[in-house]
Amino acid sequence: MSAVAKQKPLIALTPAVQERSGGGLNGCINKEYTDAVLAAGGLPMVLPLTDDEAALAALLAPADGLLLTGGGDVNPALFGGDPANPKLGSVSRLRDTMELFLTRRLLDEGRRPVLGICRGCQVMNVAAGGTLALDLPSEIGAAVNHSDPRHFELVHDVEIVPGTRLHALVGATAIRVNSAHHQAVKDLAPRLRVSARSTRDGVVEAVELDGSQFFLGAQWHPERLHDRHEPSAALFRALVAAAS
Ligand code: MN
């Protein structure tokens, strides 16, 4: 590795779980995540799909920051919810275990930055002691379609809370975002604060740690917008800056 490359912050990314039709699992990453980190000046490093805590701790050691990517539902058993709820989507014990371990480790350490996207935002809240709404249409209503198949388009409005870290880095109190989520933050974890809500229905669209550590979760998918949506690009730049 060249000296120039080593100066760039190393961002560890968690993989999504994909079940193969013939059996077995893939740990995979959407290219938009690694492209967004590269565009922001970071070096993306996708972690292997494992719940081996010693291996994860060793892999996390050289990382300068962590990006929790999107994916399926978080198992409600992890936050006192009902794992038998028929509205629950696909869950992965392996991925839940892996991401909660990594997130809690950096939360306890209190230094290196964490950016959570969609499911990652939800994982951050659960890791810090919060709960999730399992199914938005049945629990919140259908005034806004948060599960919009137009993944690369701005589909609903979000209000950003003035004075938050998100407000400082986006520089606006109202933006429009894409939306492809089934769950959302319900009871906020004690150390977190809400930094954005969906305008029409109040669904939590971003959370952050109330403190000096960059620990920020966005419910939308900024990686699908980063090349043409300044508020989304700003999230990746802020992660890389905090990792530098
Ligand atoms: Mn949404």
Side-chain angles (χ1 to χ4, degrees), residues 136 144-146 156 158 177-181 198 203 205 219-220:
L136 287 177
V144 176
N145 180 12
H146 288 278
H156 74 70
V158 160
V177 298
N178 55 0
S179 192
H181 55 113
S198 168
V203 164
E205 289 281 338
Q219 190 56 69
W220 75 95

Side-chain angles (χ1 to χ4, degrees), residues 103-124:
T103 307
R104 286 176 175 149
R105 197 169 174 93
L106 292 195
L107 198 54
D108 290 346
E109 179 192 282
R111 187 174 54 84
R112 286 179 285 176
V114 182
L115 174 64
I117 292 177
C118 198
R119 168 193 160 86
C121 174
Q122 298 157 13
V123 166
M124 290 168 108

Side-chain angles (χ1 to χ4, degrees), residues 6 12 50 52 68 78 81-82 95 98 116 123-124 154 164 179 190 201-202 214-215 217 243:
K6 280 176 90 170
T50 179
D52 180 330
L68 299 162
L78 295 165
D82 177 14
R95 190 172 182 194
M98 173 180 175
V123 166
M124 290 168 108
L154 306 178
T164 57
S179 192
D201 59 9
F214 182 100
F215 187 89

Side-chain angles (χ1 to χ4, degrees), residues 54-244:
L56 288 171
L59 287 160
L60 195 57
D64 300 301
L66 175 68
L67 199 167
L68 299 162
T69 60
D73 286 354
V74 178
N75 193 327
L78 295 165
F79 51 84
D82 177 14
N85 186 320
K87 299 283 191 184
L88 188 66
S90 66
V91 294
S92 164
R93 186 206 58 80
L94 177 59
R95 190 172 182 194
D96 287 346
T97 304
M98 173 180 175
E99 291 186 330
L100 287 173
F101 172 78
L102 293 167
T103 307
R104 286 176 175 149
R105 197 169 174 93
L106 292 195
L107 198 54
D108 290 346
E109 179 192 282
R111 187 174 54 84
R112 286 179 285 176
V114 182
L115 174 64
I117 292 177
C118 198
R119 168 193 160 86
C121 174
Q122 298 157 13
V123 166
M124 290 168 108
N125 189 52
V126 172
T131 71
L132 305 178
L134 288 186
D135 177 65
L136 287 177
S138 59
E139 294 184 36
I140 305 288
V144 176
N145 180 12
H146 288 278
S147 189
D148 195 304
R150 294 169 293 172
H151 287 176
F152 294 84
E153 293 179 32
L154 306 178
V155 297
H156 74 70
D157 293 315
V158 160
E159 286 174 10
I160 297 176
V161 180
T164 57
R165 183 188 288 272
L166 182 66
H167 179 224
L169 70 91
V170 166
T173 54
I175 62 170
R176 217 169 150 75
V177 298
N178 55 0
S179 192
H181 55 113
H182 176 233
Q183 298 184 315
V185 169
K186 187 177 178 184
D187 300 308
L188 192 66
R191 294 174 60 196
L192 299 185
R193 61 181 174 183
V194 171
S195 38
R197 286 185 185 275
S198 168
T199 304
R200 288 181 63 202
D201 59 9
V203 164
V204 175
E205 289 281 338
V207 298
E208 60 186 51
L209 193 66
D210 195 5
S212 61
Q213 184 183 14
F214 182 100
F215 187 89
L216 193 152
Q219 190 56 69
W220 75 95
H221 279 276
E223 82 283 5
R224 294 171 180 161
L225 302 167
H226 76 95
D227 54 354
R228 58 195 180 281
H229 185 245
E230 180 51 29
S232 291
L235 286 177
F236 294 97
R237 287 200 308 268
L239 170 67
V240 171
S244 300

